[in-house]
Amino acid sequence: MKIDPDYLSLLLSPLEDNNVLTLKEYFIELERREIFNKKLDKSHKFETHVEYLASKKMISNSEGFSDLKLMGFISDKSGGYAILGIAKIMKVEKEEATMAQNFNIGTLNAQSAQLGNGNTQNVTINIQELVEKVAASGDKEAKGVLMKLLENPTISGVIGAGVSGLIGILGGG
């Protein structure tokens, strides 16, 4: 399933203006706004998009954790979620990315850099960005290799709940 940015906005709308809601209040608000109806969501669109929001750290619990289980979403046997109604959920405001510095080496504006006189090069790219770029490339072989990697139990265990959202971006969900 592909991620729908408009649906993401709808899911975030009850959390605007720094609202912190219990999951029960959140679902009541989604139903009131006719954004979510459990009986109609047979495609798991809601679950996929909530996993995406958590993986991108766009939502969290009141302690700042974006792990679905810690936010009160408990996996059920049908592949969906049960909720812990007293858990609280909130929208996370994106902060400007800052680079931690332990020493001053000046300004470095690169995603790939080689420092010092060794043969080591550090490349940093987040998994979400990698998946989005591979999905946009149209390279079927790269998509297949990445899909196989994401479906690996060890890799999916490390990534966690967000893996299904990543697979959805590649068109495999």
Side-chain angles (χ1 to χ4, degrees):
M1 171 177 297
K2 292 192 183 217
I3 300 299
D4 178 352
D6 293 330
Y7 188 66
L8 290 176
S9 294
L10 290 172
L11 293 178
L12 289 172
S13 63
L15 304 173
E16 294 294 333
D17 301 323
N18 297 319
N19 287 338
V20 179
L21 304 174
T22 66
L23 282 180
K24 183 177 180 180
E25 294 167 336
Y26 177 68
F27 276 93
I28 289 169
E29 189 61 25
L30 290 177
E31 289 173 348
R32 186 186 73 74
R33 296 177 186 208
E34 299 180 357
I35 297 168
F36 175 74
N37 182 334
K38 189 171 185 158
K39 294 175 185 168
L40 298 178
D41 189 21
K42 305 288 186 210
S43 67
H44 298 285
K45 181 177 184 178
F46 175 79
E47 287 91 353
T48 301
H49 284 73
V50 167
E51 288 172 359
Y52 178 83
L53 290 170
S55 73
K56 294 294 285 177
K57 298 187 180 352
M58 296 170 74
I59 56 173
S60 74
N61 65 11
S62 56
E63 287 82 36
F65 295 105
S66 291
D67 177 86
L68 288 176
K69 198 176 276 186
L70 294 174
M71 284 192 288
F73 291 93
I74 312 300
S75 292
D76 68 16
K77 294 177 183 175
S78 69
Y81 291 101
I83 62 164
L84 182 58
I86 58 171
K88 296 196 176 201
I89 185 173
M90 60 190 262
K91 181 178 175 186
V92 176
E93 296 299 324
K94 291 287 185 182
E95 296 177 14
E96 291 297 317
T98 57
M99 187 168 93
Q101 291 181 318
N102 293 331
F103 54 93
N104 187 358
I105 59 170
T107 303
L108 179 62
N109 293 318
Q111 287 186 325
S112 176
Q114 184 169 347
L115 303 173
N117 58 5
N119 289 327
T120 303
Q121 185 174 20
N122 295 321
V123 177
T124 304
I125 183 171
N126 74 39
I127 294 171
Q128 177 75 30
E129 185 179 358
L130 173 68
V131 169
E132 288 171 351
K133 288 184 177 183
V134 169
S137 74
D139 183 338
K140 290 182 180 181
E141 182 182 359
K143 285 182 182 181
V145 169
L146 190 51
M147 184 80 73
K148 189 172 182 178
L149 177 69
L150 292 172
E151 290 171 341
N152 177 281
T154 302
I155 300 299
S156 64
V158 170
I159 295 173
V163 79
S164 65
L166 296 172
I167 290 172
I169 291 170
L170 288 171

